[in-house]
Amino acid sequence: TVPSATNEIVDIYGVPGQPTFSYNTFVNGRVNRRNSTLNPTFDFNNWDIESGSTTSANTDPGCWNGIGDCDGPEPGLSLKLIITEIADPSDGHEYRFVELFSPTLKNYKIVDDVLLVRYEDSNDDPSTFPYLSLKGLTTDEYGFIVLCVNSSVYGSGKCKYPLGFATIADNPGNVDVAIVKGTVPSTTNEIVDIYGVPGEPTFSYQSFVNGRVNRKRDTPNPTFDFSNWDIMPGGNPADMVPSSGADPGCWNGIGDCAPDLFDLDLIITEIADPSDGQQIRFVELFS
């Protein structure tokens, strides 16, 4: 009921008893949480930390990972759609999948002409095979579309769109993937969201062979934003990820996720000290 030495910490940003070091300060910036896992002990890796030049225009009170009062879809599209995870687990090609997510529309049948394509072998243009039209596909109750090689390997309900081998779901971990506007792959496709850089080889730091990539934030990236992804193994063979480390249909605590070890009631999702005025400071909580 009052602050005291006996208070039990439910969730925290920072380390009691230690000074605020430069790596976790957000003076003239903000911190934004990555996933909803409860942190009674500070988890530095669960935060995107910005300081020095973040203005209020780049903060989003009341919106976290696509939940809440957030920006709408890409102009010309009926829904906001992003790539949230691509997996090539180390224990078998049958575990490969691509996960898409719409924070704006659940149980929604896509009516737009949008494709999921690859950019292969340093080509600037999308490959004509394999690709998939997303028109007519339906997001699930959480907003996900999971495209997998084999729907049985992750359990019932995790993947509603099994495509098999040699499809857009069957990514070997070193091929760029993008959501684009259009009816067929072509040089005129407009990129909505992408993992990778068309026209460049896949460098070791962005490779997820025998692993996976998992998105940090829900901001669409028509140009690849390396800092917006957790990449494993990323050139380090010791960081290979088996299928047990992938989670189709779950992203940052949203969806069909494994239960937390703790009973999650309330977490800190954003703290802001924007550079354009102290009157714009805020703390955001989420349940």
Side-chain angles (χ1 to χ4, degrees):
T1 56
V2 295
S4 77
T6 61
N7 292 141
E8 180 181 350
I9 296 173
V10 175
D11 194 56
I12 194 168
Y13 181 85
V15 183
Q18 291 186 4
T20 302
F21 298 105
S22 59
Y23 67 82
N24 65 325
T25 182
F26 56 96
V27 174
N28 289 331
R30 71 164 188 165
V31 292
N32 196 63
R33 193 185 198 97
R34 294 181 181 176
N35 63 62
S36 67
T37 305
L38 194 67
N39 297 138
T41 302
F42 180 49
D43 181 4
F44 173 76
N45 294 318
N46 198 19
W47 294 88
D48 292 315
I49 303 169
E50 306 166 6
S51 65
S53 60
T54 302
T55 65
S56 57
N58 292 313
T59 65
D60 48 7
C63 170
W64 175 66
N65 283 350
I67 305 169
D69 183 11
C70 307
D71 293 335
E74 178 81 8
L77 296 182
S78 64
L79 80 167
K80 183 176 181 179
L81 192 65
I82 56 174
I83 303 163
T84 45
E85 184 175 359
I86 315 170
D88 173 41
S90 59
D91 45 342
H93 296 178
E94 68 272 19
Y95 292 100
R96 291 173 174 171
F97 66 86
V98 179
E99 176 188 86
L100 311 178
F101 176 62
S102 173
T104 56
L105 291 173
K106 282 68 171 166
N107 295 313
Y108 177 75
K109 185 175 181 180
I110 299 175
V111 297
D112 307 294
D113 289 321
V114 285
L115 309 171
L116 191 65
V117 300
R118 290 183 179 179
Y119 289 84
E120 302 184 60
D121 302 324
S122 302
N123 287 328
D124 289 319
D125 301 327
S127 300
T128 56
F129 178 85
Y131 77 93
L132 181 70
S133 172
L134 301 178
K135 188 174 184 177
L137 273 59
T138 302
T139 61
D140 67 13
E141 67 234 68
Y142 304 106
F144 290 101
I145 294 175
V146 178
L147 311 166
C148 61
V149 169
N150 186 332
S151 61
S152 66
V153 295
Y154 283 104
S156 177
K158 282 286 189 177
C159 172
K160 295 181 180 178
Y161 293 101
L163 303 181
F165 293 105
T167 67
I168 197 72
D170 188 17
N171 195 303
N174 57 5
V175 178
D176 300 344
V177 181
I179 299 170
V180 301
K181 297 179 183 179
T183 55
V184 294
S186 76
T187 58
T188 60
N189 292 140
E190 179 184 345
I191 295 174
V192 175
D193 192 54
I194 192 167
Y195 181 86
V197 182
E200 292 186 2
T202 301
F203 298 104
S204 61
Y205 67 82
Q206 71 195 70
S207 169
F208 57 99
V209 174
N210 291 321
R212 71 167 187 160
V213 291
N214 194 64
R215 193 186 200 97
K216 296 178 183 178
R217 301 174 300 277
D218 79 320
T219 307
N221 297 136
T223 302
F224 180 49
D225 180 3
F226 172 76
S227 67
N228 199 19
W229 293 88
D230 290 316
I231 304 169
M232 299 181 74
N236 183 2
D239 289 336
M240 291 191 300
V241 179
S243 57
S244 60
D247 51 4
C250 170
W251 177 65
N252 285 355
I254 305 167
D256 183 10
C257 306
D260 288 325
L261 297 177
F262 301 94
D263 182 14
L264 176 62
D265 291 320
L266 194 65
I267 57 173
I268 304 162
T269 47
E270 185 175 358
I271 315 171
D273 173 37
S275 60
D276 46 345
Q278 296 180 4
Q279 73 276 12
I280 312 174
R281 291 172 174 169
F282 64 86
V283 177
E284 175 187 88
L285 307 179
F286 175 71
S287 174

